[in-house]
Amino acid sequence: MAKRSIVPFGPQHPVLPEPVHLDLVLEDEVVVDAVPSIGFVHRGLEKLVETKDFKEYVYIAERVCGICSFGHGLGYCQTIEHIMNVEVPPRGRYLRTIWMEMSRVHSHLLWLGLLADAMGFESLFMESWKLREKILDMFDATTGGRVIFSVNCIGGVLKDMDDTMLKNIVDTCNEMERELKPIADAFLRDYTTGSRLHGLGVLTPKDATLMGAVGPMLRASGVAYDARKLGYAAYDELDVEPITATDGDSYARCEVRIKEIGQSFSLIRQAVAQIPAGPIAVPVKGMPNGEYFTRIEQPRGEAIYYVKANGTKFIDRFRLRTPTTSNIPPMLNMLKGCQLADVPLLILTIDPCISCTER
Amino acid sequence: MKKLAKSPWMLHYDASSCNGCDIEVLACTTPKYDIERFGIINTGDPFQADILLITGGVNAQCESVVRQLYEQMPNPKVVVAVGICACTGGVFKDCYNIKGGIDTVIPVDVYVPGCAARPQAIIDGVVKALEILEEKRRNYKEEKKEER
Ligand code: SF4
């Protein structure tokens, strides 16, 4: 048997974008085991719900994570709305859908950039992030914020978009779709990127389901599951089909995410075409009493929100299961048997968000 | 700011933030904001860094990491706290696990407010930090001269 050695990896490491710590057990160059230890970003946000007004807590929920900030606000608001039997007006639901899909585009482009960076493909990283700035500009124009924009409130949204703005969004999407093409080709057709991604970290459909993978990880293994099919916000009135790939390797995960950007553009176009006129929010009176679970599809996968309220303005318990939490077990499994040099790339292909995971 | 004596390299660390400011720090290095025009390179290695850009309110677990990173950086060095939660604890101030602000752990030279801090504000903070770095370097040289 070859000699075993343990390499500590993280929380700060030149090739690691997120503060996570792994103890990698190596046999020569091959990883045989990986032991994670977490807690570097744990803040204790769930506990804050006991001391903050439930309406005020929306802002905290949005700061669980700066990348999928809008989604966290949405999940929390939906849960409270269910408990309080609040019906969000159609225009509010459509606006939520549009912002949610814009968030997905921004998150996936961010991931593509980081992936290119992990491969050492600097110019591709710059290109992806340059394209991503367009979506951030749209956030800025519609809400006034770039990454955290706090437009969700219990009962609807806080800001409306007029027709020119909606048209602008569609124009930007069309333009971005054109500009995405060469970037997508560099990821999917280029020989060098292909050689890094093909066959790396294969996850079989059975393993993916058993270990609870979610989001693009699960869909890249060929399981057609997408929480948007549940039909929250305006998704029940739009045409959304889960995008899948069959190989289950890093290349498939990249492919799924790139196709999802296209899907988001299409959803935005559909939503803008169908958006009804009317109010964007309803006033909310009274205090929540009861408990409820909601699931929504974040860019990284399915997230679960649970709220137990007691009839006062302080909530008893808020619980959030984030996509990265469920993607870590499959990741540890994928790490076994890979080369040490592939570890950063492999960790990145699950699109880890440690801030969400540890809250 | 006149001219710089050398290209300052920056190190970025997430000391329990929400990632919002971290992606804005990274966005600063990309073509639209392009912090590299000041000669700044984003490095991952504390031993080569002059500027520490740090986000988040520091929790019990990462406190030692922050301290270690700071000590590993060669003198003279500057620290820029990015985002309101790095300045004071911000929205996380009341959390049981948050110490509240980077300056509870290491000395901070420039505070960049905002939640999330905008790239323009971050660049402004970095440029201020560069001036402080120059001054520190001058003082440092003089100290060395006196020692000799
Ligand atoms: S200042 Fe705000 S956006 Fe920045 S890391 Fe802290 S909570 Fe997130």
Side-chain angles (χ1 to χ4, degrees), chain B residues 31-52:
Chain B
K32 187 163 177 195
Y33 297 101
D34 198 15
I35 211 169
E36 289 186 6
R37 67 200 142 111
F38 299 110
I40 296 171
I41 292 179
N42 186 6
T43 163
D45 187 349
F47 291 101
Q48 300 174 347
D50 309 285
I51 310 176
L52 176 61

Side-chain angles (χ1 to χ4, degrees), chain A residues 203-219 221 223 225 300-304 321-331 333:
Chain A
L203 192 65
T204 60
K206 185 159 161 268
D207 278 354
T209 350
L210 282 182
M211 282 186 271
V214 291
M217 278 273 275
L218 180 64
R219 292 193 284 274
S221 295
V223 184
Y225 177 77
R300 286 165 181 70
E302 181 192 49
I304 301 180
R321 207 266 350 245
T322 59
T324 308
T325 319
S326 22
N327 277 338
I328 283 180
M331 176 191 89
N333 197 48

Side-chain angles (χ1 to χ4, degrees), chain B residues 63-126:
Chain B
E63 188 188 339
S64 58
V65 182
V66 172
R67 237 186 228 121
Q68 193 184 4
L69 284 178
Y70 183 74
E71 272 152 25
Q72 282 173 343
M73 283 169 64
N75 266 324
K77 53 196 161 194
V78 282
V79 178
V80 183
V82 178
I84 201 68
C85 66
C87 298
T88 65
V91 282
F92 310 138
K93 206 177 173 63
D94 303 332
C95 293
Y96 60 81
N97 202 21
I98 286 287
K99 293 199 63 103
I102 304 291
D103 53 7
T104 54
V105 185
I106 54 172
V108 175
D109 297 284
V110 182
Y111 297 86
V112 179
C115 185
R118 287 184 162 256
Q120 291 93 330
I122 298 177
I123 293 177
D124 194 34
V126 169

